[in-house]
Amino acid sequence: MHASAFLRLGFLALLLAVAAPRPAEAADAGQVVQLLDLPRHAALMRHATAPGTGDPDHFRLDDCTTQRNLSEAGRAEARETGRLLRTAGLADAAVLTSRWCRAADTAREMDLGKVEPFPPLDSFFRDRSREDAARRDILARIADRKAGDPPLIMVSHQVNITAVTGIFPASGEIVVVEVLQDGTAAVRARLSP
């Protein structure tokens, strides 16, 4: 094949890649903020980067030194997510969090509103028998959100978000869901850290 034909094919491939639409669920911070104004919508956020998996055998909920915690990069990630959402117009949110330190620290570092613990957001990584109850309670809390309520951000863990959405989120990723009338969650947007 002639060199100019290769160049034309390369240019065509580049043009198609640039013009291709992003996946429907990919969003920017502005889209996320708009969705969070809608009733029955909430942001499920996986805690920011905390190296490792699960928790140490000596884990205690009341002692952060026994838990897997945010790295400095994770803290910076959470602050940047908060900054992006504030810049996009999110003024004050209801922020619910798992009681695990890495989730609560993520919520506080974002600085988007008063942070309150919500036990259904606690990790059930070690106790899968809690999955159905956690999913049900998370969905019920989102379904209760009415027009005019503050935006709802729920900081949790991979297992909880996967149980609600079927998505395996990255550390620090936000998955915006709407709870439908049948009680299931529909993913409306995703925001990568």
Side-chain angles (χ1 to χ4, degrees):
M1 189 180 279
H2 193 270
S4 63
F6 277 119
L7 286 175
R8 280 194 300 272
L9 285 175
F11 178 74
L12 180 59
L14 177 63
L15 184 61
L16 288 173
V18 171
R22 296 185 334 187
E25 68 269 357
D28 62 27
Q31 291 169 308
V32 167
V33 170
Q34 287 177 346
L35 288 168
L36 293 180
D37 277 339
L38 300 174
R40 303 178 70 94
H41 283 69
L44 296 174
M45 180 180 184
R46 183 178 177 187
H47 60 77
T49 301
T53 302
D55 283 296
D57 290 336
H58 61 285
F59 168 89
R60 287 191 7 233
L61 188 57
D62 64 345
D63 184 355
C64 291
T65 66
T66 68
Q67 300 182 31
R68 201 176 100 223
N69 291 291
L70 295 181
S71 63
E72 283 309 312
R75 289 182 182 282
E77 214 172 77
R79 287 190 296 271
E80 178 62 10
T81 298
R83 186 194 68 73
L84 286 172
L85 293 173
R86 282 190 303 280
T87 299
L90 185 64
D92 193 32
V95 184
L96 302 180
T97 183
S98 156
R99 295 175 293 172
W100 271 234
C101 295
R102 60 187 173 270
D105 289 345
T106 297
R108 283 189 291 272
E109 292 283 354
M110 288 194 311
D111 192 27
L112 293 172
K114 181 180 176 189
V115 176
E116 295 183 34
F118 185 61
L121 296 171
D122 292 352
S123 176
F124 54 79
F125 184 77
R126 288 188 173 185
D127 182 5
R128 299 296 172 134
S129 69
R130 295 183 30 243
E131 180 175 349
D132 290 339
R135 178 178 46 248
R136 180 188 64 241
D137 293 347
I138 291 167
L139 289 169
R141 177 60 182 86
I142 298 168
D144 283 346
R145 197 176 160 283
K146 309 287 187 269
D149 287 350
L152 178 59
I153 298 174
M154 304 174 105
V155 183
S156 192
H157 306 268
Q158 173 269 310
V159 291
N160 301 66
I161 296 169
T162 301
V164 171
T165 66
I167 291 171
F168 192 106
S171 293
E173 182 175 0
I174 291 174
V175 180
V176 178
V177 298
E178 175 186 7
V179 176
L180 305 175
Q181 293 301 323
D182 67 3
T184 61
V187 174
R188 298 301 185 211
R190 293 173 71 175
L191 181 65
S192 296

